[in-house]
Amino acid sequence: MTKSERRNWIINIENTAATVSAQVGQAVVDSVFRRYGAHGIEDLNPSDLSEVFNELYAIEADLD
C-alpha cells in the first residue's frame, strides 16, 4: 500500500467515524477499532484499513 492509498483510507475512515460518532456515539467507533487491536486510526494495521472502513460504512448506512 502506498502512502497515498493509506492516507486516502484514513481520510475515509475519519469521515465515516465522525458521522457514526455524531449519530450513535464514539463508543461504537471505539468498539470497531478495538476489534482490530487499535485505540484509534493511527494504531490500525494498514492491512485492516479497508475492513475497518467497511464496518464503519455499514454502520453509517444502517443509520439512514
Side-chain angles (χ1 to χ4, degrees), residues 12-27:
N12 290 333
I13 290 169
E14 287 173 337
N15 291 337
T16 305
T19 300
V20 170
S21 178
Q23 292 193 25
V24 295
Q26 184 63 36

Side-chain angles (χ1 to χ4, degrees), residues 6-64:
R6 185 176 191 283
R7 186 174 43 246
N8 286 337
W9 279 119
I10 289 173
I11 290 168
N12 290 333
I13 290 169
E14 287 173 337
N15 291 337
T16 305
T19 300
V20 170
S21 178
Q23 292 193 25
V24 295
Q26 184 63 36
V28 173
V29 175
D30 292 343
S31 72
V32 173
F33 290 155
R34 278 194 306 273
R35 280 197 291 280
Y36 291 89
H39 298 286
I41 293 171
E42 294 302 322
D43 293 338
L44 291 167
N45 186 317
S47 65
D48 294 331
L49 294 175
S50 64
E51 292 177 36
V52 170
F53 172 75
N54 288 337
E55 281 196 45
L56 290 170
Y57 186 77
I59 293 168
E60 181 182 9
D62 285 344
L63 298 173
D64 293 336

